[in-house]
Amino acid sequence: MFVSRVFLTGLFLLAACAAPEVPPPAAPGPAPNTRASAEPLPPMRRFPVRRAAPPQRANADMAADFLDLFFQLESGRNLPAFTRFEGPISVRVVGPTSPTLERDLTDLLTRLRREAGISITRVPAAQAASITVQVIPSRALQNAVPQAACFVVPRVQSWTEFEAARSGNRLDWATLPRRDRVTVFLPGDVAPQDQRDCLHEEMAQALGPLNDLFRLTDSVFNDDNFVNVLTGFDMLVLRATYAPELRSGMGRDDVAARLPALLSRLNPVGDTIQSKQRAATDPDWINQIQRALSLSGRQSPRVRAARRAITIARRNGWADNRLAFSHFALGRVVLNEDPEAALESFLRAGRIYGADPLTRLHAAHVALQMTAFALSAGVPEDAVRLVDAHAPAARMGENASLLASLLLLKAEALRELGRDTEARTIRREALGYARYGFGDADIVRRHAEEIATIPPS
């Protein structure tokens, strides 16, 4: 299940399916700049299809992560057996599609064949398939599974079958002997990037692991949702999933016994890397993070939950992405009420993320907050420096909404510095990515207009 990312990207709610928003200024500012509302938008920009970099971790750690991903559900419930599709896999799409969704699916299937070695092909919508991708309105999705932007279920081939099966155990992954029919439900009325992100995570779960682990940094199988396209780690997990050494029905011990030799064959460099396996994540920390980032809760309990998450992370001795995410969550929750406390939290999160090469994309999300602070404080030079340092990570992570917002902030900073020609060029590039990241033209223009109001008068 892909959890809605509306609360994760902070200042502008970058990946939300609704219009982005900006906190009110601390002091009266200039009148809203409305030049964005009249300007024509450039063509949509997309990222080139690129092969993911190989995972930089020990095979012993890969094996531990593989077992925890496959033998547990996100709820914490254990799964009795390893399951996968046996034989070639077919994919069909049902419902209204768009040119961007068609291209993103084609690109994803190409990557799965090339990088994960999976025999997977597209078939016509009228033909039965191993995996059905059904596109439906986001409201129907969220009515069925609140807080989910999209999800995947076994044993059904349509929304009608899904609704009919909800009252029994037909949709229970734990009862599967193997995977034969699976359906991915995607929203059809969201931005192209949101559809692509859903497609990557739900297709990955349809094919492989059903769990998410907060300790992972370079994977879509992490509920912090900073990483949204399949990584080298994910492709290695999927390649191992469909290796001949494994088969549906194996228990955890059987899979564990085969993984060392299997991973040595698929990823020999992993045998030369020292193990740095991280401890399991405290369930209480997960509960506190979920409470802190809940959009429906009252403010004071959310702040308490974020602070408790920091306490739990420190008590467990975590100095990794989980402690950083705790600080990021606190900064997000207090941003409007206490900007100084938010700034301190973002700084703490940024230092932790910045120390790990695998969390450069996470650091770029924090840098977005810091860039907005720098611009509003009247130091556009710092805003330009921050964007230049972190925009490459947003590009490599293929996050168009994040990249667009960083570039729009840089354009405003350049304008403040009197570098108008550069500002116009950067702004046009930003709007091209924003069309993919935010979709709707009115939302793109409104987002650009809101960013234009950030510089102080």
Side-chain angles (χ1 to χ4, degrees):
M1 180 178 71
F2 188 85
V3 180
S4 174
R5 290 170 293 132
V6 66
F7 49 77
L8 290 180
T9 44
L11 187 61
F12 304 115
L13 302 187
L14 294 178
C17 296
E21 61 185 44
V22 180
N33 187 322
T34 58
R35 54 190 158 84
S37 61
E39 67 182 305
L41 294 179
M44 180 184 294
R45 284 179 175 256
R46 298 175 72 251
F47 298 99
V49 181
R50 58 169 66 94
R51 191 183 188 97
Q56 300 298 311
R57 66 175 71 212
N59 279 340
D61 298 346
M62 286 290 309
D65 293 335
F66 188 97
L67 293 170
D68 287 348
L69 285 169
F70 264 98
F71 287 93
Q72 207 170 50
L73 293 171
E74 292 182 51
S75 63
R77 181 182 171 202
N78 290 329
L79 290 170
F82 171 83
T83 62
R84 70 180 186 187
F85 291 98
E86 301 293 341
I89 300 166
S90 54
V91 179
R92 67 171 185 158
V93 180
V94 178
T97 65
S98 64
T100 54
L101 178 59
E102 291 287 342
R103 286 196 298 269
D104 286 334
L105 177 59
T106 298
D107 293 346
L108 176 58
L109 296 182
T110 299
R111 287 194 60 203
L112 289 170
R113 288 189 291 266
R114 183 179 63 193
E115 298 176 49
I118 297 175
S119 176
I120 186 167
T121 56
R122 174 87 176 265
V123 298
Q127 183 175 328
S130 312
I131 301 174
T132 296
V133 177
Q134 182 162 358
V135 181
I136 65 172
S138 56
R139 178 172 295 182
L141 280 167
Q142 291 166 7
N143 285 341
V145 184
Q147 298 300 315
C150 41
F151 58 92
V152 57
V153 292
R155 292 193 175 108
V156 301
Q157 298 181 72
S158 69
W159 184 256
T160 301
E161 284 188 39
F162 163 70
E163 291 189 308
R166 294 181 67 186
S167 59
N169 66 350
R170 188 180 173 195
L171 305 180
D172 187 352
W173 290 96
T175 64
L176 289 182
R178 64 181 180 277
R179 304 187 196 186
D180 294 311
R181 294 287 183 267
V182 168
T183 295
V184 170
F185 294 112
L186 296 184
D189 49 359
V190 297
Q193 178 173 306
D194 290 315
Q195 279 197 327
R196 180 211 62 188
D197 294 352
C198 277
L199 190 64
H200 273 243
E201 178 158 345
E202 302 311 326
M203 284 288 288
Q205 292 198 320
L207 292 165
L210 300 168
N211 194 13
D212 285 326
L213 299 174
F214 270 106
R215 70 175 182 255
L216 299 178
T217 54
D218 55 339
S219 173
V220 301
F221 299 112
N222 184 328
D223 266 341
D224 67 11
N225 289 324
F226 283 124
V227 178
N228 303 124
V229 296
L230 293 176
T231 66
F233 171 91
D234 301 326
M235 289 299 184
L236 179 56
V237 166
L238 291 173
R239 182 175 285 274
T241 300
Y242 288 89
E245 291 92 332
L246 304 182
R247 64 181 183 276
S248 293
M250 282 184 168
R252 186 182 179 110
D253 291 343
D254 288 337
V255 174
R258 288 163 172 77
L259 279 176
L262 169 57
L263 290 171
S264 292
R265 177 174 68 81
L266 296 179
N267 186 44
V269 71
D271 288 335
T272 67
I273 300 175
Q274 184 177 3
S275 174
K276 297 178 182 178
Q277 183 63 30
R278 292 171 174 175
T281 302
D282 188 331
D284 189 24
W285 179 86
I286 296 176
N287 290 336
Q288 299 304 324
I289 284 292
Q290 290 173 340
R291 290 174 187 169
L293 297 176
S294 170
L295 295 179
S296 58
R298 293 184 296 110
Q299 176 72 5
S300 56
R302 292 175 63 205
V303 173
R304 286 197 298 271
R307 295 191 185 282
R308 174 148 179 78
I310 294 172
T311 299
I312 294 170
R314 288 174 173 163
R315 185 183 65 206
N316 281 281
W318 302 337
D320 55 25
N321 60 305
R322 291 168 291 186
L323 177 59
F325 192 50
S326 305
H327 286 295
F328 182 86
L330 178 59
R332 179 66 191 95
V333 174
V334 303
L335 181 60
N336 290 347
E337 287 73 20
D338 192 346
E340 289 188 7
L343 176 59
E344 180 181 356
S345 295
F346 291 139
L347 283 169
R348 291 176 184 272
R351 281 195 290 269
I352 298 170
Y353 283 139
D356 185 349
L358 296 181
T359 51
R360 289 195 179 102
L361 179 59
H362 308 59
H365 281 271
V366 179
L368 174 65
Q369 319 301 328
M370 306 309 300
T371 304
F373 273 111
L375 194 56
S376 65
V379 281
E381 301 91 343
D382 286 354
V384 171
R385 177 182 55 80
L386 282 163
V387 174
D388 288 345
H390 293 280
R395 291 183 193 275
M396 288 301 298
E398 299 182 33
N399 192 321
S401 54
L402 174 61
L403 179 59
S405 295
L406 286 168
L407 294 178
L408 284 169
L409 286 166
K410 180 179 179 179
E412 291 305 319
L414 291 171
R415 190 174 63 84
E416 289 291 303
L417 293 169
R419 295 157 61 180
D420 290 351
T421 301
E422 291 177 72
R424 285 192 294 271
T425 300
I426 293 294
R427 181 181 179 82
R428 184 169 178 81
E429 180 185 7
L431 291 174
Y433 283 114
R435 294 195 66 180
Y436 184 80
F438 297 110
D440 183 84
D442 288 339
I443 293 177
V444 170
R445 290 190 177 96
R446 187 158 62 248
H447 185 60
E449 195 168 308
E450 287 167 343
I451 289 178
T453 69
I454 292 177
S457 57

